Amino acid sequence: MRGTPDPAGRPDSPLLVDRFGRVATDLRVSLTDRCNLRCTYCMPAEGLDWLPKQELLTDDELARLIGIAVTRLGVKNIRFTGGEPLLRPNLERVIAATAALDPRPKISMTTNGVSLARRAADLVAAGLDRVNVSLDTLDPARFHALTRRDRLDDVFEGLAAARDAGLAPVKVNAVLMRGVNEDEAVPLLRYCLDNGYQLRFIEQMPLDPQHGWNRDDMVTAEEILAALRTAFTLTPEPGERGGAPAERWLVDGGPAVVGVIASVTRPFCAACDRTRLTADGQVRNCLFSQSETDLRALLRGGASDEDIADRWRANSWAKAAGHGINDAGFHQPDRPMSAIGG
Ligand code: SAM
Ligand code: SF4
């Protein structure tokens, strides 16, 4: 059954292995479910029922779980996300605690960039290595309509500050939607090329709280590539893709690249190397999993680090082969993207 821990047959490995030979080494940590934007495909205008404060992991609890992941479970990469991670109080302290681990993991963050300009230098000083900034449009009126906030210039400034602070390569994530911003594939790529950012398009997934996702409205990887090819020459980037979700193309012969994350039309589940921790301390083995493992209860119940590590291992072992979006019986998970950690 999807997501049900079944330790039968699990090899005696300290790592986050699963029944399909995958090993999770990449941990996505959601720091908050709150956000200062209201992207139409992610949140309703009025926001969501935010998690109560007492259910959120404290900084110390977070540091302990990240430490367990890195020192006992073989996690090598930590990505902070949300909601909007820059809204987390003491973010720099959380990053510094992560950077102090031995072995030191690579530390990255996915952010809307709104308040990045004044934070970038401190984040780098704390130990942040890389950043992905979400930007779906270059047009101020469209940005306002899409995010319900008038903050496009702040995002531009945040991107420049990230680059100037040395968070290279600065990556830009864009979701294209039919009838909304599907005409911006080429302008977004030009903007990123001109500014030294690395653009990745992400196919829209059924993870919105309104359950309004519709396959026909999704702009597919094929469509995105066709649009880009009207203005650029794209050639597949040589080399191994590994667990990376983006298929990458050299633009006009390189060295610049553009990525497309085709989660729906070309799922990469077979190479997935991710595990996820929500802001309220639940481990999920997939964005789309129907069950979670409650590490917060273990932490607060006095469990040892090794007990917690074992429950995390069992959660990974139960990971399904794929997300199932294209299956007839697909059910969207109860939690929306912003509460899981995108
Ligand atoms: N607030 C931060 C941000 O926007 O970058 C981090 C969290 S946000 C949920 C992470 C990424 O998920 C963003 O790039 C956003 O565009 C993307 N996203 C949100 N809902 C999505 C969906 N239904 N399908 C695909 N991507 C989505
Ligand atoms: Fe906020 Fe990111 Fe969701 Fe937009 S996509 S509402 S910025 S969490």
Side-chain angles (χ1 to χ4, degrees), residues 1-49:
M1 202 170 88
R2 194 178 166 83
T4 304
D6 169 14
R10 190 184 181 283
D12 184 21
S13 167
L15 306 179
L16 292 173
V17 297
D18 71 26
R19 292 168 295 153
F20 303 95
R22 297 167 297 192
V23 184
T25 53
D26 184 316
L27 169 61
R28 311 261 144 161
V29 180
S30 174
L31 294 175
T32 176
D33 57 332
R34 293 173 188 249
C35 194
N36 46 358
L37 298 184
R38 293 285 183 275
C39 303
T40 50
Y41 56 87
C42 184
M43 280 191 199
E46 65 279 12
L48 294 163
D49 290 334

Side-chain angles (χ1 to χ4, degrees), residues 6 26 34 95 115 145 161 202 224-226 264 276 284 324 335:
D6 169 14
D26 184 316
R34 293 173 188 249
I95 291 174
S115 55
I202 307 176
I224 294 165
L225 291 168
V264 180
R276 295 172 183 273
R284 301 174 64 92
R335 275 191 202 249

Side-chain angles (χ1 to χ4, degrees), residues 106-146:
K106 289 246 171 6
I107 306 172
S108 56
M109 181 173 67
T110 300
T111 171
N112 61 32
V114 164
S115 55
L116 192 54
R118 57 190 162 80
R119 303 280 294 277
D122 286 347
L123 294 166
V124 170
L128 187 68
D129 297 312
R130 283 206 311 95
V131 76
N132 287 28
V133 177
S134 303
L135 177 65
D136 301 327
T137 178
L138 300 171
D139 178 78
R142 251 187 210 177
F143 184 91
H144 197 170
L146 235 165

